[in-house]
Amino acid sequence: MARYLSIHPDDPQPRLLAQAAEAVRAGGVVALPTDSCYSLGCRLGDKDAVERIRRIRGLDDRHHLTLMCRDLSEIAQFARVDNAQYRLLKAATPGSYVFILEGTRELPRRVLHPKRKTIGLRVPDHKVALALLAELGEPLLTSTLLLPGDEAPLTEAWEIQDRLDDLIELIIDGGHCGTTPTTVIDLTGMPPVLVRAGRGPLEPFGLE
């Protein structure tokens, strides 16, 4: 049975954030709110938790998972970023974007695209997500909480509890956060390539 924590979306309680971080460090899979929709997350190095997220989502190893980072310095640790890419990232973060970038050797091979050696990276614009990342002191490996057969992501914590109570360890109720997923931009080459139009506007990338 998943633990359920109601965390204030604008003023996250430090005590509850500490409990959430402890559950993630113990190998738990968490459902957490973001600036686009709810996501599933776990520690980057936890192989079992990563595989459970793939099973819950019905994903194969060619689907990009997303490394959710606190800031650009963390992105630069896990992805190869040149000056032009960095300027675009700086202009668009934090925000509702996932950027496809070439991964560094800091990343386990199992989380990279098997042929391209790429990964999705993002810096969310959501106080609860950022506060949890700060409490953890490390990124979360995440995936949109869209279950097989559903047309839209789950957006209410009570609904997540009904559907996933026996499959994950922690649900963070941070209120409603919408059903529009992130905009996905491939930055492995220039100019940027739109992979998926979502909540993040396209103007910063010249992709209107």
Side-chain angles (χ1 to χ4, degrees), residues 58-134:
L59 303 175
D60 62 28
D61 62 359
R62 294 183 299 276
H63 182 96
H64 280 105
L65 297 176
T66 298
L67 198 60
M68 187 181 291
C69 300
R70 284 179 293 174
D71 52 36
L72 284 184
S73 66
E74 280 196 338
I75 284 184
Q77 180 182 352
F78 295 101
R80 303 184 192 281
V81 179
D82 63 22
N83 289 337
Q85 292 166 326
Y86 187 85
R87 285 193 294 270
L88 287 173
L89 291 170
K90 189 172 182 180
T93 56
S96 298
Y97 299 97
V98 171
F99 302 102
I100 305 300
L101 290 161
E102 182 184 354
T104 67
R105 292 183 179 181
E106 299 284 334
L107 292 171
R109 290 175 64 88
R110 64 179 175 271
V111 305
L112 295 170
H113 188 281
K115 291 186 177 179
R116 300 184 63 201
K117 308 307 178 190
T118 48
I119 192 169
L121 293 107
R122 71 170 301 205
V123 179
D125 189 13
H126 192 282
K127 289 183 178 179
V128 173
L130 289 170
L132 177 58
L133 292 169

Side-chain angles (χ1 to χ4, degrees), residues 1-7 16 19 38 156-162 165 169-175:
M1 183 173 178
R3 187 170 187 181
Y4 192 102
L5 296 177
S6 294
I7 297 184
L16 298 183
Q19 293 175 20
Y38 274 82
E156 300 289 351
W158 62 264
E159 185 180 16
I160 296 169
Q161 187 176 37
D162 282 349
D165 197 33
E169 283 70 39
L170 176 66
I171 298 164
I172 295 177
D173 184 351

Side-chain angles (χ1 to χ4, degrees), residues 22-29 42-43 46 48-49 52 169:
E22 181 181 357
V24 173
R25 291 192 191 102
V29 173
C42 69
R43 292 187 74 191
D46 195 318
D48 175 69
R52 285 199 289 134
E169 283 70 39

Side-chain angles (χ1 to χ4, degrees), residues 88 97 200-208:
L88 287 173
Y97 299 97
L202 302 178
E203 291 82 355
F205 306 94
L207 295 170
E208 299 177 60

